[in-house]
Amino acid sequence: MIAIHRLSGDLPPPWAAPPGTGDGGWLPLRQAWRPDGLEPRFRPGWARVRWSPDAFWIETFFRGGRGANRATRLNERTWELGDVAEVFLEEVGDRRYLELHVTPENRRLQLLLGHGEVDRLRDGTAELATFLVADAGWVTSETSGGDDHWAVRVRLPAARFGRGPLAAGRRFRGSVCRYDCASPDAIVLSATASLAEPDYHRRADWDEFLLV
């Protein structure tokens, strides 16, 4: 179980205080499904989660260039169009989870999925549109990029979980993940969770988060 700390004071954006600058709480993205170590094209990334009574604050910092994605509007199929930061999050005991994609250009894909519904999407018995969240204000996000990195900050309102303000003791499960288009013919996957396979929807492998 990972302790997620309450936000205290101002939190500088990840591009202002990246991993290794003394600002703690960063979790490394990994390829836990590879027993022989990281694949050669792997590029480092980190994620950090904080909370306040009214929202989660989720940040990523990815090494390896500015990143790029061809999405131009809300709720395109971002994972087919380039680099993506992905967030998966559910409260323990809920029967559905949130999936959020953010591109380097700050385009988003927003989904609410019930348990097992990703299988229906994969076998063609459900349409992606069924699970899309079309409200552009459902979450807020911002991004930044440099020659050797790109970074994301997401504010996810507590109201999206339907149980009032966040408070210490509540438990969640989730993972922060990356689609890294390291080359035109190779997508490199990585995640904070200890996934047994390169499948971000493996809920049983997600980390458990305790708000403290």
Side-chain angles (χ1 to χ4, degrees):
M1 186 178 296
I2 297 174
I4 302 299
H5 292 271
R6 180 171 175 167
L7 181 61
S8 176
D10 294 333
L11 185 65
W15 45 91
T21 60
D23 216 23
W26 291 102
L27 302 173
L29 275 70
R30 302 170 291 140
Q31 294 181 314
W33 58 87
R34 290 181 55 87
D36 297 327
L38 302 171
E39 60 187 285
R41 289 189 176 96
F42 176 87
R43 299 192 289 192
W46 297 264
R48 178 170 59 184
V49 183
R50 291 286 186 269
W51 65 277
S52 60
D54 62 341
F56 278 104
W57 298 86
I58 302 165
E59 300 172 314
T60 68
F61 190 92
F62 299 149
R63 292 290 185 191
R66 291 180 178 273
N69 192 291
R70 299 190 304 279
T72 60
R73 62 184 185 276
L74 182 68
N75 286 340
E76 290 191 77
R77 298 171 71 89
T78 52
W79 72 97
E80 297 177 350
L81 300 173
D83 294 288
V84 183
E86 295 193 28
V87 176
F88 296 83
L89 193 63
E90 67 178 11
E91 185 156 16
V92 171
D94 276 358
R95 297 296 302 166
R96 62 180 186 174
Y97 62 91
L98 174 152
E99 178 180 352
L100 178 69
H101 297 198
V102 185
T103 74
E105 299 80 9
N106 201 23
R107 308 296 183 188
R108 293 195 305 273
L109 170 67
Q110 306 174 159
L111 297 160
L112 277 177
L113 291 158
H115 294 176
E117 288 176 334
V118 71
D119 296 325
R120 297 176 55 218
L121 287 170
R122 289 171 172 170
D123 66 19
T125 58
E127 296 290 334
L128 185 69
T130 305
F131 309 107
L132 294 176
V133 179
D135 178 5
W138 193 61
V139 304
T140 57
S141 59
E142 54 184 322
T143 63
S144 179
D147 291 341
D148 66 346
H149 74 277
W150 67 282
V152 173
R153 169 181 279 179
V154 171
R155 181 183 182 275
L156 174 57
R160 303 298 169 253
F161 297 94
R163 297 184 181 177
L166 298 177
R170 288 176 68 173
R171 293 184 299 132
F172 291 80
R173 295 177 59 82
S175 182
V176 181
C177 310
R178 180 184 188 181
Y179 266 74
D180 182 10
C181 295
S183 68
D185 60 346
I187 297 175
V188 178
L189 306 181
S190 57
T192 56
S194 298
L195 302 178
E197 298 177 7
D199 178 353
Y200 293 161
H201 291 267
R202 288 179 61 88
R203 296 178 39 261
D205 294 342
W206 289 353
D207 293 317
E208 185 164 335
F209 301 131
L210 174 67
L211 304 192
V212 297

